[in-house]
């Protein structure tokens, strides 16, 4: 009781979430009288990061940074334009298709929304789209980023769940593509009610030049997904190889990357990755205390008295997570949920850890856009200059589509597991 | 009344966890429900090195650990991993109950702050490869996933293999696409992870046994009454003994299961690796007297 | 107080610089791993070296984030409050962070136990025999150095966090930020 009050007070007061976790663990130790646990605390904090898979986090962040500095984003958008640009509402489709391509390089929704918002929103507004709608499409498109590999959320989930991160990446491919299809359908359906501006068809020559211009950039997702699925590299190594590819494309092909960008890139890289990694470390201490105090075991008993049906369990999980996702975001929420609920899901309900992981992550990704706390919503608003509340209306159909996909995946585990090798 | 916590790295379905649970039930019954044991499988409380640290501080009461981590701290335990020390699990069990191995346990309190109640075991180590291995020369230059600790690393360095450290869940994919060509593994793991689907050539080497040790925290032990010490000690020793016997029964069963998968099984002995045992012992010359005693005991079986 | 602010600032810069260098090292080590494995000459120690570099990077960066105020937190309540009350709350949060930093400093001090080590005449063996603390006798799996060299990042983190949070409490948070808010990961 004291522990949960302490947790809530610290969290709401605005203490950094990582420290909330570490301090809650400390309160628990004091309250339970097991002060002997204090001695293991520094080592548990350190040990939380001693995982090979976590190396992928700074590396995938580096890929995103290098891609951004090397003119790759612009070319991928032009590439998407060749295929869907001439449709009515062309730029909305270009936005989503480009987001799909970008999702295969970037591992975080917020990073992707920031990048795409800078480029796509002004462009769409210039061509006569409503600014709020343009922002909503971009924000929705960004949601695919942590589902389509690579994904920071999946890396952390894989580490927490002790399952293969490579397989977790593969597990996200079908759900990610389904999201893309759902969002494109939303744009198409909304086209019946709003008259989107029409784009001019590109000349053959321009189209060819856009395709050729994007070819070097397209090697990056090939390196990442091909490297993992083809078994040439671990997810971590594929991230390092992709960083080399992004650097080469930006510096050699596009000649846009400059050595003077390096310090700023490294500072962003270090700040952002240590933010995530410190959260993981603190979560290890928190999770260790939770397990030590046998909380998952006790919760499992309660859950099992309520239902023995895995699908009902998953529905309850979804409701819980949509609630959690309103207040705590993405990685931080994942870190709180997984140590408690994964053991219950796998041992009491026989749910595949991959299925559980995709459902939880998709849920928390949706939470990035739900108020009152939705970092991706704030990022989108910040980049586009709209009010968060104003984006909510055009965003609602996309959120409903995401929920539909979430239900579909909750109901049919094979959408996740069919692609796995085992 | 005390609720003991026992940690182990293997999952809940593994025999080590099962016998730990059985031990807990016995302790509960014999203490009239006063003492219980909760088993924390799958490294829930941390990896082996973190569990050792918690045993030392007294946060964790007991653990079933491989002696990989123990041998990193007390190198003498590495001698139990000497290549071709015993031919099968049954002999391994006898050796672990023998004088030399039991004497090693006496080093644990002083050097690690824990008490060893006895040894358990896993199945014998084998080599599984994606390509046919006709002679040991075929192994040279191959990339092999091994458990990263000194005795095994030394063995494979001598054979000329490039040891590749990798988490076990990643191995299945890695075998499929050439990230590794082979794995040092036991038959139980092959069947649990279905490595047979990805690597079709098994060298049934029985090249090393894989002992486990049942530990109790020194600090916790110090606080137990004489009576409780006996209760815990006897029951853990019994659980470990039962486990040794279980693997003895299991071994032929595992061999026939693996053979039934249809992969190529080639039974080889130390003569398949000429000069390797000698070179390994040269590397381990600090422990030579100990290894000699172990080999003498094994030869007498 | 001015001294403390300046110390915190210089320290944060040093932390970020060191962490930046470590992030390059992480990338280089992973690439080295790929190359050596392709050549069939895998190096055994590379994984552990890369992981250790990442851990150091993370804790140095985490400590610096206390100076720059770039950690993730739930700002629902502070945002809803009036400026005056939010300021008081912010100060209370800074104090809570300082309390954490001090406790953690004490924990790492007990873990490394320099006094006990001195009492044992700096003999690691004598130290672990007399204290049941085995921090100095543990070795790394593949790097071949004592583990406490790597664990040293914990006291470093504790000391630096204490300096940063003390500066925040006594002199107020600085307004400078090293990063654009754009690349907030999630
Ligand atoms: Na992605
Ligand atoms: Na939210």
């Amino acid at each position: 009781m004291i522990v949960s009050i302490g947790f809530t007070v610290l969290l709401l007061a605005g203490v950094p979430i990582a420290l909330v976790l570490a301090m809650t663990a400390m309160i628990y130790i004091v309250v339970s009288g097991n002060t002997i646990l204090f001695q293991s605390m520094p080592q548990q904090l350190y040990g939380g990061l001693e995982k090979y898979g976590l190396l992928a986090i700074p590396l995938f962040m580096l890929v995103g940074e290098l891609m951004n500095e090397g003119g790759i984003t612009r070319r991928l958008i032009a590439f998407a334009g060749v295929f869907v640009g001439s449709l009515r509402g062309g730029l909305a489709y270009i936005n989503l298709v480009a987001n799909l391509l970008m999702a295969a390089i970037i591992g975080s929704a917020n990073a992707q929304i920031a990048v795409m918002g800078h480029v796509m929103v002004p462009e769409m507004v210039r061509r006569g789209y409503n600014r709020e709608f343009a922002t909503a499409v971009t924000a929705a498109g960004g949601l695919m980023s942590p589902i389509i590999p690579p994904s920071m959320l999946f890396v952390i989930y894989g580490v927490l769940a002790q399952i293969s991160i490579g397989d977790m990446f593969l597990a996200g491919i079908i759900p990610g593509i389904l999201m893309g299809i759902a969002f494109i359908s939303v744009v198409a359906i909304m086209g019946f009610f709003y008259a989107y501006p029409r784009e001019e068809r590109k000349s053959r020559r321009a189209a060819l030049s856009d395709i050729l211009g994007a070819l070097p950039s397209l090697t990056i997702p090939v390196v990442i997904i091909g490297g993992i699925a083809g078994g040439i590299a671990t997810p971590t190594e594929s991230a390092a190889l992709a960083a080399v590819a992004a650097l080469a494309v930006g510096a050699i092909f596009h000649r846009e990357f400059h050595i003077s960008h390096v310090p700023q890139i490294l500072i962003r890289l270090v700040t952002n990755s240590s933010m995530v990694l410190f959260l993981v470390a603190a979560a290890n201490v928190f999770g260790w205390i939770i397990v030590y105090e046998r909380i998952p075991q006790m919760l499992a008993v309660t859950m099992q008295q309520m239902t023995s049906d895995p699908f009902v369990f998953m529905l309850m999980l979804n409701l819980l997570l949509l609630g959690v996702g309103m207040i705590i975001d993405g990685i931080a929420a994942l870190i709180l949920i997984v140590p408690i609920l994964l053991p219950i899901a796998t041992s009491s309900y026989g749910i595949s850890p991959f299925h559980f992981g995709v459902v939880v992550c998709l849920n928390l990704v949706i939470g990035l856009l739900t108020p009152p706390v939705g970092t991706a919503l704030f990022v989108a608003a910040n980049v586009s200059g709209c009010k968060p509340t104003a984006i909510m209306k055009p965003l609602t159909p996309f959120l409903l589509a995401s929920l539909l996909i979430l239900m579909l995946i909750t109901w049919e585990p094979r959408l996740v597991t069919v692609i796995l090798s085992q | 009344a005390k609720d003991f916590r026992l940690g182990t790295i293997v999952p809940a379905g593994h025999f080590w966890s099962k016998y730990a649970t059985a031990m807990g039930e016995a302790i509960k019954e014999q203490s009239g429900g006063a003492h219980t044991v909760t088993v924390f499988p799958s490294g829930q409380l941390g990896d082996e090195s973190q569990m050792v640290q918690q045993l030392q501080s007294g946060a964790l009461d007991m653990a079933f650990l491989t002696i990989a981590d123990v041998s990193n701290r007390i190198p003498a335990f590495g001698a139990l991993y000497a290549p071709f020390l015993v031919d099968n699990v049954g002999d391994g069990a006898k050796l672990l109950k023998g004088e030399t191995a039991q004497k090693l346990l006496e080093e644990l309190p002083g050097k690690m702050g824990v008490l060893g109640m006895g040894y358990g075991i896993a199945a014998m180590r084998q080599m599984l490869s994606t390509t046919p291995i006709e002679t040991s020369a075929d192994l040279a230059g191959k990339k092999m996933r091994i458990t990263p600790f000194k005795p095994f690393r030394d063995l494979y360095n001598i054979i000329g293999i490039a040891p590749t450290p990798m988490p076990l869940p990643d191995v299945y994919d890695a075998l499929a696409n050439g990230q590794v060509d082979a794995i040092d593994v036991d038959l139980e793991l092959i069947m649990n992870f279905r490595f047979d689907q990805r690597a079709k050539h098994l060298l049934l080497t029985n090249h090393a046994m894989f002992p486990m040790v049942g530990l109790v925290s020194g600090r916790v032990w110090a606080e137990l009454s004489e009576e409780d010490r006996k209760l815990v000690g006897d029951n853990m020793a019994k659980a470990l003994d039962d486990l040794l016997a279980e693997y003895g029964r299991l071994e032929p069963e595992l061999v026939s299961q693996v053979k039934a998968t249809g992969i190529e099984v080639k039974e080889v002995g130390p003569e398949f690796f000429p000069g390797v045992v000698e070179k390994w012992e040269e590397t381990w010359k600090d422990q030579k007297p100990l290894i000699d005693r172990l080999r003498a005991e094994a030869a007498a079986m | 107080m001015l001294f403390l602010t300046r110390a915190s600032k210089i320290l944060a810069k040093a932390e970020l610089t060191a962490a930046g260098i470590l992030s390059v090292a992480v990338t280089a080590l992973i690439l080295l791993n790929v190359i050596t494995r392709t050549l069939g000459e895998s190096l055994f120690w590379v994984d552990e070296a890369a992981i250790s570099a990442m851990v150091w990077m993370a804790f140095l960066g985490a400590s610096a984030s206390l100076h720059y105020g770039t950690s993730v937190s739930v700002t629902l309540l502070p945002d809803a409050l009036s400026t005056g009350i939010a300021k008081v709350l912010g100060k209370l949060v800074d104090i809570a962070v300082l309390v954490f930093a001090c406790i953690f400093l004490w924990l790492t001090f007990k873990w490394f136990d320099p006094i006990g080590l001195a009492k044992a005449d700096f003999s690691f063996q004598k130290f672990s025999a007399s204290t049941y603390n085995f921090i100095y006798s543990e070795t790394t799996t593949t790097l071949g150095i004592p583990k406490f060299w790597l664990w040293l990042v914990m006291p470093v983190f504790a000391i630096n966090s204490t300096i940063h949070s003390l500066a925040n409490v006594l002199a107020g948070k600085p307004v400078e930020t090293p990063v654009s808010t754009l690349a907030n990961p999630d």
Side-chain angles (χ1 to χ4, degrees):
Chain A
M1 193 61 198
I2 302 172
V3 179
S4 40
I5 292 172
F7 173 81
T8 316
V9 168
L10 290 170
L11 190 74
L12 287 180
V15 173
I17 295 177
L19 296 184
V20 173
L21 294 174
M23 290 182 199
T24 308
M26 284 178 171
I27 298 174
Y28 213 128
I29 291 174
V30 173
V31 170
S32 67
N34 277 313
T35 44
I36 217 149
L37 293 176
F38 271 129
Q39 292 185 34
S40 301
M41 209 172 168
Q43 202 191 356
Q44 282 288 341
L45 195 70
Y46 185 100
L49 293 186
E50 271 184 305
K51 314 271 158 63
Y52 176 81
L54 290 177
L55 287 165
I57 287 178
L59 291 171
F60 277 123
M61 284 188 183
L62 180 62
V63 174
E65 291 287 344
L66 292 173
M67 183 211 70
N68 214 6
E69 300 281 343
I72 291 168
T73 314
R74 186 155 46 79
R75 286 171 178 85
L76 287 180
I77 293 170
F79 178 78
V82 173
F83 300 97
V84 288
S86 60
L87 300 167
R88 184 177 279 281
L91 263 182
Y93 295 109
I94 291 176
N95 189 334
L96 288 173
V97 173
N99 260 306
L100 205 69
L101 292 173
M102 295 279 286
I105 302 175
I106 295 185
S108 131
N110 288 339
Q112 182 154 327
I113 291 169
V115 170
M116 291 298 283
H118 266 301
V119 189
M120 284 311 297
V121 174
E123 182 68 12
M124 286 177 76
V125 170
R126 198 169 59 79
R127 302 272 185 97
Y129 290 83
N130 163 300
R131 181 176 291 271
E132 283 72 29
F133 173 76
T135 311
V137 176
T138 312
L143 291 191
M144 294 183 284
S145 196
I147 304 297
I148 290 175
S151 156
M152 221 92 78
L153 270 182
F154 285 1
V155 168
I156 291 167
Y157 178 79
V159 167
L160 292 173
Q162 302 183 39
I163 56 174
S164 155
I165 292 165
D167 280 347
M168 198 55 212
F169 277 8
L170 296 181
I173 291 179
I174 295 177
I177 291 173
L178 286 177
M179 282 171 85
I181 294 172
F183 293 156
I184 287 171
S185 311
V186 169
V187 169
I189 293 169
M190 283 171 85
F192 289 115
F193 304 101
Y194 303 101
Y196 295 132
R198 183 184 282 281
E199 304 298 317
E200 276 167 38
R201 186 178 285 277
K202 272 184 190 167
S203 73
R204 268 218 185 152
R205 209 197 167 108
L208 192 66
S209 127
D210 283 346
I211 292 176
L212 289 179
L215 282 183
S217 307
L218 288 170
T219 57
I220 299 168
V222 171
V223 165
I224 294 173
I225 300 173
I228 298 166
I232 299 156
T234 64
T236 303
E237 290 166 351
S238 81
L241 293 174
V244 172
L247 185 65
V249 170
I252 299 169
F253 283 98
H254 303 165
R255 295 171 180 277
E256 291 186 21
F257 180 85
H258 196 264
I259 193 83
S260 63
H261 300 165
V262 171
Q264 220 32 53
I265 287 182
L266 288 185
I267 284 182
R268 281 199 300 265
L269 174 66
V270 165
T271 308
N272 288 327
S273 54
S274 64
M275 189 191 292
V276 172
L277 289 172
F278 186 52
L279 203 51
V280 173
N284 192 56
V285 175
F286 185 75
W288 166 62
I289 296 291
I290 280 180
V291 171
Y292 190 88
E293 297 296 342
R294 307 180 183 87
I295 290 168
Q297 282 104 316
M298 291 189 262
L299 204 61
V301 173
T302 319
M303 293 287 279
Q304 275 186 307
Q305 281 163 356
M306 290 162 78
T307 179
S308 60
D309 183 41
F311 182 65
V312 177
F313 168 77
M314 287 295 256
L315 284 181
M316 284 167 26
L317 176 80
N318 278 328
L319 271 178
L320 173 78
L321 287 176
L322 287 173
V324 168
M326 286 190 178
I327 300 166
I328 308 176
D329 265 355
I331 291 169
L334 185 76
I335 273 168
L336 283 176
I337 294 295
V338 172
I340 305 177
L341 290 180
L342 176 69
I344 302 175
T346 52
S347 56
S348 303
Y349 294 95
I351 294 163
S352 144
F354 295 99
H355 183 220
F356 180 84
V358 172
V359 168
V360 169
C361 290
L362 181 52
N363 225 311
L364 295 176
V365 162
I366 294 172
L368 291 174
L369 284 182
T370 55
V373 178
T375 45
L377 188 65
F378 301 153
V379 171
N382 190 13
V383 171
S384 66
C386 304
K387 282 210 177 77
T389 43
I391 311 171
M392 276 319 291
K393 197 183 160 207
L395 192 60
T396 305
F398 293 101
L399 286 179
L400 290 176
S402 309
L403 284 176
L404 194 73
I405 300 297
L406 175 63
M407 282 303 123
L408 193 66
I409 290 164
T410 305
W411 172 66
E412 181 49 83
R414 274 174 295 180
L415 289 173
V416 172
T417 54
V418 73
I419 205 163
L420 301 179
S421 39
Q422 275 168 297
Chain B
K2 184 151 170 71
D3 187 2
F4 297 101
R5 291 174 169 83
L6 183 148
T8 183
I9 202 79
V10 299
H14 193 276
F15 280 110
W16 295 5
S17 306
K18 285 184 187 163
Y19 280 84
T21 310
M23 176 195 78
E25 278 158 13
I27 288 178
K28 187 175 174 186
E29 198 192 302
Q30 288 166 30
S31 66
H35 302 313
T36 53
V37 178
T38 308
V39 178
F40 292 86
S42 305
Q44 283 178 351
L45 294 179
D47 60 22
E48 291 200 330
S49 128
Q50 288 167 333
M51 281 193 258
V52 168
Q53 204 261 353
Q54 291 171 46
L55 286 169
Q56 290 167 346
S57 75
L60 183 62
D61 306 295
M62 311 166 176
F64 281 3
L65 300 184
T66 73
I67 57 170
D69 195 72
V70 177
S71 72
N72 282 337
R73 294 155 198 264
I74 307 176
F77 277 89
L80 295 172
Y81 287 117
F84 302 105
L85 190 56
V86 293
D87 297 333
N88 52 56
V89 169
D91 287 357
K94 274 188 221 154
L95 190 62
L96 290 172
K97 287 201 251 182
E99 195 192 332
T100 313
Q102 289 293 321
K103 209 161 167 50
L104 267 179
L105 294 176
E106 290 168 15
E107 300 201 22
L108 288 168
K111 291 190 174 155
M112 273 177 63
V114 295
L115 287 95
M117 297 293 146
Y119 294 96
I121 205 166
M124 299 290 289
R125 302 305 284 191
Q126 321 292 349
M127 301 177 195
L128 182 68
S129 161
T130 54
T131 53
I133 306 296
E134 298 305 332
T135 70
S136 69
D138 293 340
L139 281 167
K142 292 257 184 277
K143 291 170 284 185
M144 182 185 260
R145 188 270 177 188
I146 73 164
T147 322
F149 65 107
K150 196 166 182 307
F152 281 16
R153 201 162 71 225
D154 290 343
L155 173 67
Y156 286 108
N157 279 336
I158 292 165
I159 296 175
I161 274 172
T164 306
M166 175 182 295
L168 205 53
D170 293 339
V171 169
Y172 185 89
D173 289 340
L175 284 169
N177 37 53
Q179 205 176 317
V180 293
D181 311 304
I183 172 172
D184 176 290
V185 70
D186 71 39
L187 299 179
E188 194 182 5
L189 290 172
I190 293 179
M191 294 313 294
N192 287 352
F193 284 86
R194 297 317 307 264
F195 293 141
D196 58 292
Q197 295 173 348
R198 287 289 175 259
K200 304 277 183 194
H201 306 276
L202 177 67
L203 281 184
L204 203 62
T205 54
N206 290 332
H207 61 270
M209 63 171 171
F210 205 75
M212 172 264 269
V213 61
L215 300 174
V216 178
S217 157
R219 291 202 174 174
V220 172
W221 190 257
E223 286 165 10
L224 291 181
S225 68
E226 216 34 68
E227 191 187 342
D228 286 345
R229 285 183 187 175
K230 189 169 158 39
L231 178 75
V232 168
D234 287 356
N235 278 300
M236 192 179 280
K238 181 179 179 303
L240 293 169
D241 265 1
D242 292 349
L243 185 63
L244 289 175
E246 176 78 60
Y247 272 97
R249 281 193 296 277
L250 194 65
E251 189 173 49
E253 207 177 295
L254 280 170
V255 172
S256 50
Q257 272 179 28
V258 169
K259 281 184 175 163
T261 63
I263 65 173
E264 183 205 19
V265 179
K266 192 177 174 117
E267 291 179 39
V268 300
E271 66 289 344
F272 192 79
F273 306 93
V276 167
V277 174
E278 292 74 16
K279 280 186 198 148
W280 189 92
E281 294 198 351
E282 173 60 26
T283 317
W284 278 73
K285 57 177 177 296
D286 288 354
Q287 309 297 339
K288 185 79 169 105
L290 182 63
I291 295 168
D292 285 345
R293 282 203 300 279
L294 287 169
R295 288 211 191 273
E297 273 183 42
M301 281 168 197
Chain C
M1 257 192 254
L2 192 64
F3 164 75
L4 204 60
T5 313
R6 196 177 301 155
S8 167
K9 191 172 175 173
I10 294 171
L11 186 61
K13 236 184 199 156
E15 285 168 330
L16 280 192
T17 310
I21 294 168
L22 286 166
S23 74
V24 175
V26 168
T27 317
L29 284 166
I30 297 300
L31 288 170
L32 179 69
N33 216 8
V34 178
I35 294 166
T36 53
R37 202 184 56 218
T38 314
L39 298 174
E41 295 287 334
S42 291
L43 298 172
F44 217 84
W45 49 269
V46 175
D47 280 346
E48 200 175 20
I51 291 170
S52 310
M54 174 189 71
V55 179
W56 274 76
M57 178 200 80
F59 283 110
L60 291 176
S63 158
S65 80
L66 294 179
H67 173 80
Y68 294 110
T70 46
S71 340
V72 214
S73 53
V74 175
T75 56
L76 203 59
L77 187 63
D79 289 349
L81 295 172
S82 70
T83 341
I85 302 176
K87 228 175 182 173
V88 174
L89 187 64
K91 197 50 103 182
L92 289 175
V93 167
D94 285 344
I95 292 172
V97 174
L98 177 62
V99 169
F100 167 81
C102 291
I103 294 176
F104 203 72
L105 186 61
W106 174 70
L107 290 180
T108 52
F109 186 81
K110 277 195 70 180
W111 188 28
F112 277 76
D113 197 5
I115 296 170
L117 188 62
K119 276 187 190 154
D121 306 322
F122 296 97
S123 149
F124 294 157
Q125 219 161 5
K126 240 166 114 184
F127 172 79
S128 36
S130 61
T131 60
Y132 258 154
N133 181 341
F134 291 78
I135 179 173
Y136 296 107
S137 44
E138 189 148 331
T139 55
T140 48
T141 325
T142 57
L143 285 174
I145 55 167
K147 187 78 183 255
F148 76 87
W149 290 114
L150 302 179
W151 280 332
L152 261 181
V153 75
M154 299 321 295
V156 169
F157 167 75
I159 293 168
N160 295 5
S161 302
T162 309
I163 294 173
H164 290 315
S165 52
L166 194 62
N168 287 346
V169 168
L170 294 181
K173 268 207 185 85
V175 278
E176 51 177 334
T177 157
V179 233
S180 76
T181 52
L182 296 182
N184 183 8
D186 240 319

